[in-house]
Amino acid sequence: MYAKTLLATAVLLMAGAAQAQSVGTCPTLPANSGLAWDTLDGNDYTFCKAIRPSDGQQVLAVMITTDSTFRPRRPNRLQEARIDGSETWWYRGELSGSTGTEVRETQVEIDRRHVAHISLRGRSEEELSHAMSLAEALRFDDVRLSIN
């Protein structure tokens, strides 16, 4: 009896996790990423942090809004990228008060009214490359925009 109850509970939890990942306010993470979203919905934005559960570290962040404060500067342009079918560029960003940490940023138009500002940081080229690969695998097609 205990095993059946435990199995039923596990199935319900997995179904809930699948539902949470299929439609939400954050983009879909790659299935094998091992990350989970930590979400904050505001009046005119949705802020999504991709957290690695093993150590609680943020791998990347996505701010979905109608008007991003991110203003790309051509001198900071580093490399081309394709995110959810949109061509864009990665830019070098700055993180005040932190040495040894590199920042990368980009922006993607989700629809005619919404943009997603994606930012990530890493202490090594390997960390940056891994986070950029994850960001480039994000899918925004199931995002339920809570911004009016």
Side-chain angles (χ1 to χ4, degrees), residues 1-9:
M1 182 68 169
Y2 175 74
K4 287 183 181 180
T5 304
L6 188 60
L7 180 61
T9 303

Side-chain angles (χ1 to χ4, degrees), residues 21-122:
Q21 181 68 332
S22 64
V23 176
T25 56
C26 294
T28 304
L29 288 162
N32 61 349
S33 70
L35 302 175
W37 287 121
D38 182 10
T39 307
L40 176 63
D41 288 316
N43 289 335
D44 58 352
Y45 68 89
T46 297
F47 184 64
C48 307
K49 294 190 302 185
I51 304 294
R52 189 173 38 237
S54 62
D55 61 7
Q57 291 296 309
Q58 176 182 314
V59 176
L60 61 95
V62 179
M63 174 73 84
I64 302 171
T65 186
T66 55
D67 184 31
S68 174
T69 59
F70 174 62
R71 302 290 181 249
R73 294 184 54 226
R74 190 173 182 90
N76 293 342
R77 187 185 280 188
L78 294 173
Q79 70 185 69
E80 291 182 81
R82 182 181 278 295
I83 299 176
D84 199 20
S86 297
E87 292 183 16
T88 188
W89 287 85
W90 284 109
Y91 294 84
R92 181 181 311 104
E94 294 180 11
L95 187 61
S96 64
S98 181
T99 58
T101 301
E102 294 284 326
V103 177
R104 299 294 179 265
E105 300 177 275
T106 192
Q107 188 165 284
V108 178
E109 187 175 303
I110 298 174
D111 60 28
R112 289 178 35 200
R113 293 183 30 209
H114 299 94
V115 294
H117 171 216
I118 303 169
S119 61
L120 50 97
R121 51 190 154 186

